[in-house]
């Protein structure tokens, strides 16, 4: 099921504050100025495919602004591609101003000041992902922010068509297929940036395809405590050396990536009803940690607190999980309100190759 938030049931005075919090949690911290005396209801529905968060937004007239102060207080930069479906948006960034109409899209970089104004009821679908996921030079990307792309021809049409269809199918894609779909989407966006900048770069499709195939295998066998580099390499008909090279290209390790995936799923299951039935040790075993002490140490290293404290603090948070920028909707096996750890990619060091202890 998709994660969602709506202000329809709130009183008009409560909608403004609730909507501001929802927008900032779903995307990045922003100032929100509603342009109606009685704010219209707003709705945000979210899915996650791999590193891409898909957010469909419907609301009334408003202005959102990302200020220098908000940027300074925020985490790593991300990019937002927004497909306009209803209403016309005026966007400003990097000294440019663009008008984005239904059927068109634009790109926003959250590491720099931007402003977006819509003077009517609107709907759009946004795709949010870490800046590091897009392999393009900074100067090429900067040249395309606050630029209107028409989805009628050329590389922009490929991007608009694929992203739009991916959003419609997100709810029915399983985790492995969703990750591959997101990878293809980001490759198409890279193609668009290269096309607009006049670049024609040689890439390594074999490495990328091999890595995605390996990740699919790992995700399908994540519960197996015997999962390790040798069995992974054998199942994918590659050498252990080549396997390590693939993950090195993403600045991580095989064991680190496996451990991060297992911890992510444990963190979410700890907040679900199943935690009462299985207990912390049972949740750990469920996701391939054979040793509960090793699991507790790994969890504390990744999340900054023991698993028990994680359950208590998360249950006290009482914030809408659907709109948290760190919450993973169902396509990546999320729990209700369980945020993923910050910077888990490549953070794990040493230890057992499988992360199971």
């Amino acid at each position: 099921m998709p994660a969602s938030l709506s202000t329809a049931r709130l009183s008009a005075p409560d909608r403004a504050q609730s909507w501001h919090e929802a927008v900032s949690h779903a995307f990045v911290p922003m100032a929100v100025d509603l342009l109606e005396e009685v704010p219209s209801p707003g709705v945000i529905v979210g899915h996650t495919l791999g590193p891409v968060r898909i957010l469909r937004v419907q609301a009334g007239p408003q202005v959102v602004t990302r200020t220098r102060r908000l940027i300074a207080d925020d985490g790593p930069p991300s990019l937002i591609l927004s497909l306009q479906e209803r209403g016309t948006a005026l966007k400003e960034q990097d000294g440019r101003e663009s008008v984005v109409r239904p059927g068109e899209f634009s790109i926003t970089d959250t590491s720099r000041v931007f402003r977006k104004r819509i003077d009517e009821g609107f709907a759009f679908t946004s795709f949010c992902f870490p800046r590091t996921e897009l392999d393009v030079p900074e100067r090429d990307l900067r040249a395309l922010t606050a630029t209107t792309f028409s989805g009628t021809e050329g590389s922009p049409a490929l991007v608009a068509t694929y992203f739009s269809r991916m959003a419609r199918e997100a709810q029915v894609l399983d985790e492995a297929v969703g990750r591959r779909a997101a990878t293809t989407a980001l490759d198409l966006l890279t193609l668009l940036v290269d096309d607009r900048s006049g670049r024609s770069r040689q890439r390594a499709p074999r490495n990328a395809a091999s890595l995605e195939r390996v990740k699919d295998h790992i995700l399908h066998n994540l519960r197996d405590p015997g999962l390790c580099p040798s069995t992974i390499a054998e199942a994918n008909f590659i050498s252990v050396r080549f396997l390590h090279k693939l993950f090195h290209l993403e600045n991580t390790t095989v064991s680190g990536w496996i451990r991060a995936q297992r911890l992510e799923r444990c963190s979410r299951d700890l907040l679900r009803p199943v935690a009462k039935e299985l207990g912390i040790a049972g949740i750990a075993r469920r996701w391939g940690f054979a040793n509960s002490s090793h699991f507790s140490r790994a969890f504390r290293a990744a999340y900054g607190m023991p698993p028990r404290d994680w359950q208590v603090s998360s249950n006290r948070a009482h914030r809408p999980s659907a709109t948290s920028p760190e919450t993973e909707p169902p396509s990546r096996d999320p729990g209700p309100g369980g945020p993923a750890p910050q910077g888990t990619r490549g953070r794990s060091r040493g230890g057992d190759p499988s992360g199971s202890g």
Side-chain angles (χ1 to χ4, degrees), residues 170-214:
Q171 188 174 352
V172 299
L173 299 179
D174 67 28
E175 183 175 7
V177 174
R179 176 179 292 279
R180 295 177 68 177
T183 298
T184 299
L186 295 177
D187 284 345
L188 284 173
L189 186 54
T190 300
L191 180 150
L192 168 62
V193 177
D194 286 350
D195 180 31
R196 286 302 179 98
S197 64
R199 294 181 184 273
S200 178
R201 294 185 286 162
Q202 294 295 319
R203 301 196 173 271
R206 177 174 178 265
N207 285 355
S210 297
L211 182 57
E212 287 309 308
R213 186 176 69 248
V214 167

Side-chain angles (χ1 to χ4, degrees), residues 47 73-74 83 162 164 219:
H47 302 269
D73 294 339
D74 201 16
L83 284 167
Y162 187 87
S164 178
L219 293 175

